């Protein structure tokens, strides 16, 4: 009976309105039973028709029973479909506070504050440069909160066209605009109900939307585009910005009243250049993570790399560090990682003196060559390649300046 009900249910999905499966018989008999969905609306009618001589006292009971089985299948499919929609629109939480790497004072201060505010439903504003791990903090806050069993929905405000952001956040009714889906669509606020809505790059939100968002935060209800009935919501809103919103407020590029509604707690994520003490720990963590993802054995690495990387300014922060480590792993082809496998701008920065002082060209050349020899552990081929001179010229200059090469590595 289950297989029959599935077949009939599949046929029902292809029909609209009242679905009647009938056959016309002379001297016929018919038993019928309605089929309803979870809302009690009529989806179809199941009939069994035939010659009256074939009629059985249990025919009607069998049809009614089969209709009930179909209704159960229909309810099961509706629940699965609803669950699938929620899974697609609600992001999986991958990060907790234990995933935030760093033992320095700056990052630990941010973690401690985030742990405290995660216990309440207070609105939070997370500020930090691109690549510092703002979403990692937001996911960790949601995971540690009392809303962790409810949806976490993330929206990149900077990636949605201005004309669509209202319908994305608040939803829309059937026929609200050209191209609107039949039956309408819930917005991200509704989908995040009882959970957390993460508004990333909120600093790029258009001013007219800032006004509408402010009203939602004040009233705790949304009205879909094309609708008139407010929908109550219970959502924790966390915003993130790669610029200081307070400075944008001063420049009149962001609404002051919205800033105060969002920024009850402002969590500052320090850039990597301000937490260089965490680079060794981050390097090892990211190296293992990358090698596991690439299915590669973790290579050995020159420990001096860690000191060299600490001197770089990292405009792309942790995301940039991760990209450069992956680049080095791929280019090294299983060999020991050295500075040569990192982009030239990193190597160049290592050689640039932090404080430029007036000195002779001869002295600068001497310092530069010695630094290159130290970086490449006395490897003459790599040093000459970096300096753009032949090995013979390099040997001559070392003799002239009385320079020593580092002999820890084999000279090629």
């Amino acid at each position: 009976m289950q297989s029959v009900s599935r077949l009939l249910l599949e046929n029902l999905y292809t029909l609209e309105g009242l679905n009647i499966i009938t056959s016309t018989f002379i001297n016929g008999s018919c038993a019928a039973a309605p089929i309803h969905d979870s809302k009690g609306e009529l989806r179809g009618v199941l009939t069994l028709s035939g010659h009256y001589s074939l009629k059985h006292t249990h025919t009607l009971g069998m049809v009614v029973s089969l209709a009930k089985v179909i209704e159960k299948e229909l309810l099961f499919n509706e629940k699965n479909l609803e669950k699938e929609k929620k899974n697609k629109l609600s992001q999986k939480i991958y990060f907790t506070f234990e995933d935030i790497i760093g033992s320095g004072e700056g990052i630990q201060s941010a973690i401690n504050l985030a742990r405290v505010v995660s216990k309440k439903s207070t609105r939070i504003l997370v500020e930090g440069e691109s690549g510092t791990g703002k979403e990692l903090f937001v996911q960790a806050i949601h995971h540690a909160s009392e809303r962790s069993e409810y949806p976490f929905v993330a929206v990149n405000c900077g990636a949605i066209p201005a004309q669509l952001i209202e319908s994305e956040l608040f939803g829309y009714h059937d026929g609200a605009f050209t191209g609107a889906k039949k039956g309408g669509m819930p917005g991200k606020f509704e989908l995040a109900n009882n959970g957390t809505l993460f508004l990333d790059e909120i600093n790029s939100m258009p001013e007219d939307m800032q006004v509408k968002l402010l009203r939602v935060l004040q009233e705790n209800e949304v009205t879909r585009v094309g609708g008139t009935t407010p929908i109550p919501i219970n959502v924790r809103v966390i915003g993130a910005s790669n610029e200081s919103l307070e400075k944008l407020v001063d420049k009149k590029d962001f609404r002051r009243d919205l800033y105060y509604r969002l920024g009850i707690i402002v969590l500052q994520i320090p850039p990597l250049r301000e937490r260089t003490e965490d680079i060794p720990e981050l390097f090892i963590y990211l190296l293992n993570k990358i090698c596991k993802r690439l299915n590669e054995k973790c290579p050995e690495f020159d420990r001096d790399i860690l000191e060299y990387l600490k001197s770089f300014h990292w405009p792309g922060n942790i995301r940039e560090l991760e990209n450069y480590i992956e680049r080095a792993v791929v280019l090294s082809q299983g060999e020991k990682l050295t500075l040569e496998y990192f982009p030239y701008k990193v190597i160049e920065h290592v050689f640039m003196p932090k404080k430029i002082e007036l000195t002779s060209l001869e002295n600068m050349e001497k310092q530069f060559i010695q630094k290159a020899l130290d970086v490449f552990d006395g490897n003459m081929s790599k040093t000459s390649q970096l300096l753009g001179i032949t090995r013979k010229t390099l040997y001559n200059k070392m003799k002239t300046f009385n320079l020593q090469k580092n002999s820890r590595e084999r000279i090629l």
Side-chain angles (χ1 to χ4, degrees):
M1 185 174 286
Q2 287 285 346
S3 59
V4 174
S5 67
R6 286 184 180 277
L7 180 61
L8 290 169
L9 184 58
E10 288 172 5
N11 290 331
L12 281 172
Y13 281 133
T14 64
L15 301 173
E16 293 183 1
L18 184 62
N19 299 275
I20 305 177
I21 306 170
T22 61
S23 298
T24 303
F25 293 92
I26 299 174
N27 298 321
S29 175
C30 176
I35 298 171
H36 299 93
D37 61 17
S38 60
K39 297 178 181 177
E41 296 179 2
L42 185 66
R43 292 293 302 273
V45 177
L46 177 64
T47 67
L48 182 60
S49 303
H51 194 270
Y52 74 92
S53 62
L54 300 174
K55 181 181 178 182
H56 192 278
T57 54
H58 297 304
T59 300
L60 180 59
M62 182 180 68
V63 172
V64 171
S65 297
L66 188 54
K68 293 298 181 186
V69 171
I70 294 173
E71 286 182 347
K72 287 182 180 179
E73 290 281 344
L74 187 61
L75 179 62
F76 177 78
N77 286 350
E78 285 178 355
K79 285 182 177 179
N80 276 353
L81 187 62
E82 188 65 27
K83 191 182 293 183
E84 270 182 35
K85 284 182 180 178
K86 285 184 178 179
N87 287 341
K88 285 179 181 177
L89 293 166
S90 176
Q91 290 190 359
K92 186 177 178 181
I93 298 299
Y94 292 101
F95 301 112
T96 66
F97 285 117
E98 286 66 37
D99 297 308
I100 302 175
I101 307 300
S103 53
E105 184 180 349
I107 196 66
Q108 282 299 313
S109 177
I111 292 172
N112 292 336
L113 177 58
R115 284 185 185 275
V116 171
V117 299
S118 66
K119 303 303 179 185
K120 303 295 180 181
S121 288
T122 305
R123 296 188 189 115
I124 305 169
L125 182 61
V126 182
E127 291 186 348
E129 296 176 7
S130 296
T132 51
K134 295 187 291 296
E135 183 163 352
L136 188 153
F137 268 85
V138 176
Q139 287 198 19
I141 290 169
H142 174 79
H143 184 269
S145 74
E146 59 186 11
R147 298 174 181 264
S148 59
E149 297 300 317
Y150 295 98
F152 174 83
V153 178
V155 182
N156 188 328
C157 301
I160 304 173
Q163 63 272 24
L164 296 179
I165 193 167
E166 182 177 5
S167 58
E168 279 289 318
L169 291 179
F170 307 148
Y172 58 85
H173 275 288
D174 188 359
F177 51 84
T178 304
K181 285 186 179 180
K182 187 176 181 181
M185 198 78 172
K188 296 298 191 288
F189 270 95
E190 289 181 66
L191 296 171
N193 200 30
N194 296 316
T196 301
L197 177 63
F198 173 41
L199 299 178
D200 197 9
E201 294 190 27
I202 195 167
N203 51 301
S204 62
M205 181 175 283
E207 187 175 356
D208 61 327
M209 269 305 301
Q210 292 180 33
V211 177
K212 294 172 183 177
L213 176 60
L214 177 64
R215 182 168 181 79
V216 170
L217 297 180
Q218 288 173 336
E219 305 296 334
N220 289 317
E221 59 184 25
V222 296
T223 302
R224 292 187 182 184
V225 176
T228 56
T229 306
I231 302 170
I233 53 167
N234 176 19
V235 177
R236 182 184 200 174
V237 176
I238 301 180
S241 172
N242 54 20
E243 299 179 80
S244 168
L245 282 190
E246 191 168 15
K247 290 181 180 178
L248 292 178
V249 167
D250 292 339
K251 293 192 293 185
K252 301 190 183 304
D253 289 334
F254 197 84
R255 290 186 63 93
R256 187 177 297 276
D257 45 7
L258 179 57
Y259 171 69
Y260 289 130
R261 280 284 175 183
L262 282 170
I264 296 173
I265 301 291
V266 179
L267 181 64
Q268 299 281 355
I269 312 300
L272 189 55
R273 63 181 172 275
E274 293 180 8
R275 46 179 295 217
T276 54
E277 69 275 16
D278 294 326
I279 285 180
E281 189 178 356
L282 281 167
F283 180 89
I284 294 170
Y285 169 80
L286 293 172
L287 179 61
N288 283 292
K289 172 187 169 184
I290 289 164
C291 290
K292 184 178 179 181
R293 177 163 51 82
L294 296 178
N295 198 25
E296 294 276 352
K297 182 182 177 181
C298 251
E300 294 182 13
F301 62 90
D302 184 349
R303 303 296 299 190
D304 288 340
I305 285 181
L306 303 179
E307 290 302 315
Y308 299 143
L309 296 182
K310 285 167 72 172
S311 70
F312 191 58
H313 58 286
W314 299 110
N317 293 291
I318 298 173
R319 189 181 294 123
E320 185 179 18
L321 175 61
E322 184 173 2
N323 288 347
Y324 290 169
I325 294 173
E326 183 169 347
R327 177 187 191 272
V329 169
V330 172
L331 294 181
S332 67
Q333 300 181 70
E335 294 183 3
K336 185 176 182 179
L337 293 185
T338 58
L339 194 62
E340 66 174 306
Y341 297 117
F342 285 78
Y344 182 76
K345 65 179 181 179
V346 177
I347 300 173
E348 184 182 44
H349 191 82
V350 169
F351 292 108
M352 290 294 289
K354 292 182 180 178
K355 202 170 186 179
I356 298 176
E357 297 177 355
L358 292 176
T359 184
S360 66
L361 288 174
E362 183 179 318
N363 191 41
M364 284 187 66
E365 185 180 21
K366 177 181 176 181
Q367 291 179 29
F368 201 82
I369 294 173
Q370 185 64 67
K371 184 72 172 177
L373 287 166
D374 292 342
V375 167
F376 293 119
D377 294 325
N379 188 307
M380 303 297 286
S381 295
K382 294 175 182 177
T383 302
S384 61
Q385 185 179 2
L386 174 70
L387 298 174
I389 58 178
T390 64
R391 285 179 51 160
K392 183 178 179 181
T393 303
L394 176 58
Y395 275 113
N396 290 336
K397 288 184 178 293
M398 287 175 63
K399 187 176 180 180
T400 301
F401 296 137
N402 192 27
L403 300 176
Q404 299 296 319
K405 62 179 182 289
N406 190 322
S407 59
R408 286 185 301 166
E409 291 290 328
R410 177 175 60 86
I411 300 176
L412 299 179

